[in-house]
C-alpha cells in the first residue's frame, strides 16, 4: 500500500537521510553483521583474481566488506557520508595492522567524487546506489565512477529491485523511490541498470537475497571502457 508526497515533503525526507543514517548506524553497531556480504566476497575474489588492487568503496557503512578487502591485501578508499562508522573502520583496521592500506573519506555522493581521473582499479558499492538518489543523480554518480576508474577497471554495485517485497510499499516519492520506516530506497528496473552502464561494458547482473525480509537485490558488474 503506498501514499504519495508533494515536492517539499520529498525534499525534507531526502535532506533528513544523512542524520537518519548517522543515528541508525550509531544505535546498531553491527547493523548488517560483522561478516563480509556475498557481493563483498564476490568483488574481493574478482578484484584479486584480476590484479585490481586500488579499490574505491562507496557507502562503506560499518565496513563489513571494507575489512574483508583489506584482509585480502587490497588498498581501500572507504567513502560514506556517515562520519562515526568510518572512524570505527579506521580503528578496526589499525588494531589489525592494516591501517596503511585504508583511506576514509566523508563525502556525499550527490556531489562530484573528490578524486582525480583514473586513480582506481575498481569500485565496489553494496546498497549505496539503492539509497535516496534520483535517476539523474545516479547517472551523474555512475559517470563519476567511470571518470575515477582506470580503463578496464571493474565496478561492482548492488541495488534492491522492483521484485523486492518493499517495492511499492510506504510513501511514493516518484522515480521508483519509496520511503518506508524513515528510510528512502530507490528500487531499480533493468532500464536504470542499462542507463548507468553508459561508458561501461555490462559484465553481468546477478540476483541474490539478503537479510530477513529478504531484500531482493541485483549485483551488477560492469567494466570501464
Ligand atoms: C544500506 S547501507 C550499506 C552499508 C554497507 N555498504 C554494507 O552493506 O554494510 C548504505 C550506506 O550508504 C551511506 N549513504 C547513503 N546515502 C549516501 C550519500 N548520498 N553519500 C554517501 N553515503 C551515503 C549510508 O550512510 C550507509 O552507510
Amino acid at each position: 500500500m503506498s501514499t504519495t508526497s508533494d515536492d517539499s515533503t520529498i525534499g525534507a525526507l531526502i535532506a533528513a537521510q544523512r542524520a537518519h543514517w548517522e543515528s541508525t548506524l550509531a544505535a546498531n553497531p553491527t547493523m548488517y553483521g560483522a561478516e563480509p556480504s556475498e557481493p563483498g566476497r564476490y568483488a574481493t575474489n574478482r578484484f584479486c583474481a584480476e590484479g585490481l588492487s586500488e579499490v574505491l568503496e562507496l557507502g562503506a557503512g560499518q565496513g563489513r566488506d571494507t575489512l574483508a578487502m583489506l584482509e585480502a591485501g587490497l588498498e581501500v578508499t572507504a567513502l560514506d557520508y556517515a562520519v562515526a562508522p568510518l572512524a570505527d573502520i579506521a580503528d578496526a583496521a589499525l588494531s589489525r595492522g592494516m591501517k596503511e592500506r585504508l583511506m576514509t573519506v566523508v563525502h556525499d555522493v550527490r556531489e562530484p567524487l573528490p578524486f582525480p581521473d583514473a586513480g582506481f582499479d575498481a569500485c565496489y558499492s553494496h546498497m549505496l546506489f539503492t539509497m535516496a538518489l534520483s535517476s539523474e543523480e545516479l547517472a551523474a554518480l555512475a559517470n563519476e565512477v567511470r571518470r575515477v576508474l582506470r580503463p578496464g577497471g571493474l565496478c561492482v554495485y548492488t541495488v534492491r529491485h522492483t521484485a523486492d517485497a518493499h517495492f511499492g510499499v510506504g510513501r511514493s516519492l516518484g522515480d521508483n523511490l519509496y520511503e518506508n520506516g524513515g528510510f528512502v530506497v530507490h528500487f531499480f528496473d533493468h532500464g536504470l541498470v542499462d542507463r548507468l552502464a553508459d561508458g561501461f561494458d555490462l559484465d553481468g547482473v546477478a540476483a541474490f537475497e539478503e537479510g530477513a525480509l529478504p531484500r531482493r537485490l541485483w549485483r551488477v558488474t560492469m567494466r570501464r571502457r
Side-chain angles (χ1 to χ4, degrees), residues 20-80:
H20 191 64
W21 270 109
E22 292 269 13
S23 61
T24 303
L25 293 171
N28 302 279
T30 51
M31 184 164 172
Y32 296 104
E35 294 302 311
S37 66
E38 182 274 334
R41 282 193 292 267
Y42 162 84
T44 301
N45 291 339
R46 188 88 198 256
F47 297 163
C48 289
E50 294 200 18
L52 305 173
S53 59
E54 292 179 66
V55 179
L56 170 63
E57 183 183 10
L58 300 176
Q62 293 161 326
R64 57 178 169 158
D65 294 325
T66 321
L67 293 168
M69 289 186 178
L70 291 170
E71 295 279 6
L74 300 172
E75 291 177 36
V76 184
T77 297
L79 179 152
D80 204 291

Side-chain angles (χ1 to χ4, degrees), residues 17-18 20-22 25 31-33 35 37 39 57-66 79-83 85 105-111 124-133 137 141 158 160 183-184 210 215:
Q17 286 297 290
R18 186 173 188 163
H20 191 64
W21 270 109
E22 292 269 13
L25 293 171
M31 184 164 172
Y32 296 104
E35 294 302 311
S37 66
E57 183 183 10
L58 300 176
Q62 293 161 326
R64 57 178 169 158
D65 294 325
T66 321
L79 179 152
D80 204 291
Y81 66 8
V83 179
V105 177
V106 177
H107 183 76
D108 187 330
V109 299
R110 290 173 295 174
E111 301 296 328
Y124 170 69
S125 187
H126 187 15
M127 292 192 289
L128 176 279
F129 281 63
T130 204
M131 296 286 101
L133 302 162
E137 289 168 331
L141 175 58
T158 71
R160 294 172 75 175
F183 289 104
V184 176
E210 186 180 87
R215 292 183 290 277

Side-chain angles (χ1 to χ4, degrees), residues 56 58 109 113 116-120 122-125 128-129 138-150 153-157 196 200 222 224:
L56 170 63
L58 300 176
V109 299
L113 295 177
D117 296 356
F120 294 99
C123 178
Y124 170 69
S125 187
L128 176 279
F129 281 63
L138 286 164
L141 175 58
N143 199 40
E144 278 292 279
V145 170
R146 196 189 57 77
R147 179 183 68 75
V148 303
L149 280 179
R150 301 187 174 108
L154 275 186
C155 174
V156 176
Y157 71 88
L196 300 196
F200 293 86
M222 53 192 196
R224 186 208 195 284

